[in-house]
Amino acid sequence: MSSPDGATTVSIDALHSFCMEILCDLGVSSAHAQVTSDALTLADSWGTFTHGTKLLIGYAQRLKRGGLRTDTEPQVVKEGPAWAIVDGQATLGQVVSTFAMTKAVELANKSGFGYVGVRNSCHFGAAGVYSSLAAKENMVGLSMANDVPSVAAPGSRTSITGTNPFSYAIPAGKHPPILLDMAISTVAGGKIYAAQQLGKPIPDNWLIGPDGKPTSDASLYPANACLAPMTAHKGYGLALMIESLSAIMTGASLTWNVGSWMFDDGTKPTNHGGCFIAMNVAAMQPLDEFLTRVDGLIDEIHEAPKADGVERLYVPGEMEWERRQKALQEGIKLPADVVAQLRLVAKEFDIHPSWLQ
Amino acid sequence: MSSPDGATTVSIDALHSFCMEILCDLGVSSAHAQVTSDALTLADSWGTFTHGTKLLIGYAQRLKRGGLRTDTEPQVVKEGPAWAIVDGQATLGQVVSTFAMTKAVELANKSGFGYVGVRNSCHFGAAGVYSSLAAKENMVGLSMANDVPSVAAPGSRTSITGTNPFSYAIPAGKHPPILLDMAISTVAGGKIYAAQQLGKPIPDNWLIGPDGKPTSDASLYPANACLAPMTAHKGYGLALMIESLSAIMTGASLTWNVGSWMFDDGTKPTNHGGCFIAMNVAAMQPLDEFLTRVDGLIDEIHEAPKADGVERLYVPGEMEWERRQKALQEGIKLPADVVAQLRLVAKEFDIHPSWLQ
């Protein structure tokens, strides 16, 4: 169902089956393929196309070369009453992260609070996938991860930290969970790649050029430019917190020792770190009261006075949940750059879904 | 030791004694006065003058009117293996917050991780005071709090959330802790007041005017302007996380129900919420390894290539710890706006320290 702009509409189920087929062809177990397909299609259904099935082709390369393993399982290597350290065993980042958040929820069920630090993981896609897993259990969820440096520090000429994604989800009652998923850079790297593929110029606060000054030339990235940290020292500061909780606490690789899942030797693990936290609301107070108060906060925001020309005030994640609702009914309209990547991977695996013709 | 610009240099000890004297005069117990004086002078010694002893005059008004109580103690009202809920009993925010972080450290000693949610607190000054308490114990510390709305959401005409301060501290080995202390607005409200008092204009990304558009007129704040959230949806998103962890989880007041410690009826508690987290590094891995890795990260940043004209790259908190080191040796150079506030409070309490003449 291609449209003139190169976009294609596909049902979530059909897109999920497509992912499953490719991952299973690559030797990924059915359970791991399921979790990964869930994560990638959830991101696409939110409209977070930079972190959805577009990633599949890159993951496939690593799976073929062995840097991502199909013969191992993530393992808890150490644990206490309210924490655990997980070795991801170089399985897909989505597999490790889902395992870790599931463990965090288990700990929070026992102790009220669960922190799971992860090492030997890989690129995990959209951070919000994992925080929202906790929200499904009526827990507050936080997820974050480090990544290969691509973001400058205030005053630096080169990259200092990764975009180090950060997400939280807060369960609500009648409303969907409040859900933030952000990079600590002004924008995520995926947005720059999307601009490159679409040939679009970018605002001048997204990138720092090779001289340490802002630039609007997307083509410089990533070889000759770094992403800019949001609000300078604040984004940079959050990046170092995420680096510490995800990698220093866990024994994962730090900054330049993290492997690039896209550009580095595909035969080697990237050793990304991650941090997954679940807070058991019901252990601390009556769940109904909590959910009612979250609903009240959301209602209050919806009803607040708006600036001229603004029709609605959104709560974080609200646009994404509405897009998902629409996608469940009408399918996901995948943009042209995603379709192009999916065509490449379909060709490589010699599969021919009707929606991709 | 007044200088021509109205600044005054004072030793940390002398400033601490000044705070103690005033607080004890107000009926605050010696233990509470100690903790509060520690917090206020620590902030001043960091150069965070908007959150130091300048606050004393406002706290004094509330203490006199009874909205801040001197006859109660913060209490743990509920606890589990890795969490506690504290009722601050309307004591000074510094007292409640120090109590809460101390409890979080105790829980983390037992369970590896401690979350302490606080209700019935008040303005707590600099968030970094409490996260750094955890770092002193070689733990990772996080602290945050909600506040009366003063920050717009993207598209709103009025304030939606507080500046909702957020801080973390990561202990290091040979270096001082990495320490971030930030508001989720582009700048904290204290910076706007400082600009008002100094009659300085402000950049146009600090405030949103009454029409919902940016303004550089500091005098509009707070009656006719809101602070702008940093990077729009990201600062706004973080604000709602802090609101949830500090107030929804704890039973504290939310958004417009929080009392303004400065402007509202001084006879009533403000019922601020707070969130204090301690992570026990040594429970999860060898402490030496952790500290060495943090040091390595700091060294790596120091050695990274700098943009033209940039002499040093700083780690969050580094400037503050250096200012404190200098203050310990040479005293704190209090700027004119702080001196003016201290003169007012000294006059009111009829005390005449030589450094304030």
Side-chain angles (χ1 to χ4, degrees):
Chain A
M1 283 187 282
S2 233
S3 63
D5 58 0
T8 291
T9 299
V10 57
S11 74
I12 297 177
D13 282 352
L15 188 61
H16 194 279
S17 300
F18 177 81
C19 292
M20 287 294 292
E21 195 171 344
I22 288 164
L23 290 167
C24 291
D25 266 10
L26 283 156
V28 176
S29 71
S30 169
H32 288 192
Q34 184 76 40
V35 156
T36 307
S37 304
D38 288 353
L40 296 177
T41 56
L42 178 55
D44 276 341
S45 73
W46 282 335
T48 311
F49 296 114
T50 48
H51 291 71
T53 54
K54 188 181 178 182
L55 301 168
L56 203 52
I57 194 163
Y59 294 169
Q61 303 317 312
R62 279 208 159 256
L63 284 162
K64 282 195 291 186
R65 291 181 191 138
L68 277 170
R69 294 183 63 172
T70 56
D71 60 342
T72 52
E73 294 287 339
Q75 286 174 0
V76 172
V77 289
K78 233 179 180 184
E79 80 177 278
W83 60 274
I85 303 294
V86 162
D87 185 319
Q89 297 282 332
T91 57
L92 281 152
Q94 283 77 0
V95 171
V96 184
S97 304
T98 304
F99 178 87
M101 186 53 97
T102 305
K103 180 73 192 170
V105 166
E106 181 194 315
L107 292 163
N109 264 317
K110 198 174 63 179
S111 301
F113 212 103
Y115 159 82
V116 177
V118 158
R119 62 178 179 239
N120 207 1
S121 184
C122 190
H123 187 264
F124 72 175
V129 167
Y130 315 106
S131 57
S132 65
L133 283 180
K136 249 193 202 169
E137 308 293 325
N138 279 323
M139 295 195 184
V140 171
L142 279 86
S143 65
M144 56 196 99
N146 73 337
D147 200 2
V148 64
S150 58
V151 186
S156 79
R157 186 184 282 272
T158 54
S159 298
I160 300 291
T161 72
T163 52
N164 291 12
F166 176 90
S167 171
Y168 75 81
I170 311 279
K174 65 181 178 180
H175 294 293
I178 303 177
L179 174 65
L180 179 73
D181 184 340
M182 65 177 221
I184 60 77
S185 47
T186 310
V187 296
K191 287 223 168 81
I192 315 264
Y193 293 124
Q196 285 172 4
Q197 283 174 1
L198 298 172
K200 284 187 180 168
I202 56 167
D204 74 354
N205 64 341
W206 289 14
L207 281 186
I208 301 292
D211 54 355
K213 315 274 179 205
T215 173
S216 56
D217 180 358
S219 73
L220 290 170
Y221 181 80
N224 295 300
C226 324
L227 297 169
M230 68 166 176
T231 319
H233 69 288
K234 298 192 183 186
Y236 165 57
L238 290 175
L240 296 181
M241 176 188 78
I242 296 164
E243 200 77 28
S244 303
L245 296 182
S246 302
I248 305 188
M249 282 297 276
T250 64
S253 286
L254 267 183
T255 64
W256 291 102
N257 290 314
V258 179
S260 166
W261 70 278
M262 228 191 295
F263 299 109
D264 280 3
D265 181 356
T267 67
K268 295 196 179 128
T270 59
N271 197 16
H272 282 71
C275 162
F276 303 87
I277 290 174
M279 292 177 71
N280 185 358
V281 174
M284 305 187 202
Q285 64 168 297
L287 180 61
D288 282 357
E289 261 176 43
F290 180 92
L291 301 177
T292 303
R293 292 191 84 199
V294 176
D295 281 342
L297 176 62
I298 294 171
D299 290 339
E300 180 181 307
I301 292 169
H302 286 163
E303 290 157 16
K306 291 144 198 77
D308 284 345
V310 172
E311 279 180 24
R312 287 178 61 183
L313 297 182
Y314 288 89
V315 167
E318 193 171 5
M319 286 184 195
E320 285 74 11
W321 292 120
E322 285 187 5
R323 286 194 205 110
R324 178 163 175 83
Q325 212 45 49
K326 197 174 172 210
L328 284 165
Q329 287 158 9
E330 303 171 15
I332 305 171
K333 189 175 172 186
L334 297 171
D337 61 312
V338 176
V339 174
Q341 297 291 308
L342 296 184
R343 286 220 169 96
L344 283 176
V345 77
K347 192 175 169 193
E348 188 179 341
F349 287 83
D350 197 23
I351 56 178
H352 310 279
S354 58
W355 54 270
L356 203 52
Q357 303 315 310
Chain B
M1 283 186 283
S2 233
S3 63
D5 58 1
T8 292
T9 298
V10 57
S11 73
I12 298 177
D13 282 352
L15 188 61
H16 194 279
S17 300
F18 177 80
C19 292
M20 287 294 292
E21 196 171 343
I22 288 165
L23 290 167
C24 291
D25 266 10
L26 283 156
V28 176
S29 72
S30 169
H32 289 192
Q34 184 77 39
V35 157
T36 306
S37 304
D38 288 354
L40 296 177
T41 55
L42 177 56
D44 277 342
S45 74
W46 281 335
T48 311
F49 296 114
T50 48
H51 291 71
T53 54
K54 188 181 179 182
L55 302 169
L56 204 50
I57 194 163
Y59 294 168
Q61 303 317 312
R62 280 208 158 256
L63 284 162
K64 281 195 291 186
R65 290 180 192 141
L68 277 170
R69 294 183 63 173
T70 57
D71 59 343
T72 52
E73 294 286 339
Q75 287 175 0
V76 173
V77 289
K78 231 177 179 186
E79 79 178 279
W83 60 273
I85 303 293
V86 162
D87 184 318
Q89 297 283 334
T91 56
L92 281 152
Q94 284 77 0
V95 171
V96 184
S97 304
T98 304
F99 177 88
M101 185 53 97
T102 305
K103 181 73 193 171
V105 166
E106 182 195 314
L107 291 164
N109 264 317
K110 197 174 63 177
S111 302
F113 212 103
Y115 159 83
V116 177
V118 158
R119 63 177 177 238
N120 207 1
S121 183
C122 190
H123 187 264
F124 73 175
V129 167
Y130 316 105
S131 57
S132 65
L133 283 180
K136 250 193 200 170
E137 309 292 325
N138 280 322
M139 295 195 185
V140 172
L142 280 86
S143 65
M144 56 196 100
N146 72 337
D147 200 2
V148 63
S150 60
V151 186
S156 79
R157 187 183 281 272
T158 54
S159 298
I160 300 292
T161 72
T163 52
N164 292 11
F166 177 90
S167 171
Y168 75 82
I170 311 279
K174 65 181 179 181
H175 294 293
I178 303 178
L179 173 66
L180 180 73
D181 184 341
M182 66 178 220
I184 60 75
S185 48
T186 310
V187 296
K191 287 223 167 81
I192 315 263
Y193 293 124
Q196 285 173 4
Q197 284 174 0
L198 298 172
K200 284 187 179 168
I202 56 167
D204 74 354
N205 64 341
W206 288 14
L207 282 186
I208 300 292
D211 54 354
K213 314 276 179 203
T215 174
S216 56
D217 180 359
S219 72
L220 290 171
Y221 182 79
N224 295 300
C226 325
L227 297 168
M230 69 166 176
T231 319
H233 70 288
K234 298 192 183 187
Y236 165 56
L238 291 175
L240 296 182
M241 175 187 80
I242 295 164
E243 200 76 29
S244 302
L245 296 182
S246 303
I248 305 187
M249 282 297 275
T250 64
S253 286
L254 266 182
T255 65
W256 291 102
N257 291 313
V258 180
S260 166
W261 69 277
M262 228 190 296
F263 299 108
D264 280 3
D265 181 356
T267 66
K268 295 196 179 130
T270 59
N271 197 14
H272 281 71
C275 162
F276 302 87
I277 291 174
M279 293 177 70
N280 185 358
V281 174
M284 306 187 201
Q285 64 168 298
L287 180 61
D288 281 358
E289 261 176 44
F290 180 92
L291 300 177
T292 302
R293 291 191 85 199
V294 176
D295 281 343
L297 176 62
I298 294 171
D299 290 339
E300 182 182 307
I301 292 169
H302 285 163
E303 290 156 15
K306 290 144 199 75
D308 285 345
V310 172
E311 280 181 21
R312 288 177 62 181
L313 297 182
Y314 288 89
V315 167
E318 193 171 4
M319 286 184 196
E320 285 75 11
W321 292 120
E322 286 188 4
R323 286 194 206 111
R324 178 163 174 82
Q325 211 47 49
K326 197 176 171 210
L328 284 165
Q329 287 158 9
E330 303 172 15
I332 305 172
K333 188 175 172 186
L334 298 171
D337 61 313
V338 176
V339 174
Q341 297 291 308
L342 295 184
R343 286 220 169 97
L344 284 176
V345 76
K347 192 175 168 194
E348 187 178 341
F349 287 83
D350 197 24
I351 55 178
H352 310 279
S354 58
W355 54 270
L356 202 52
Q357 304 315 309

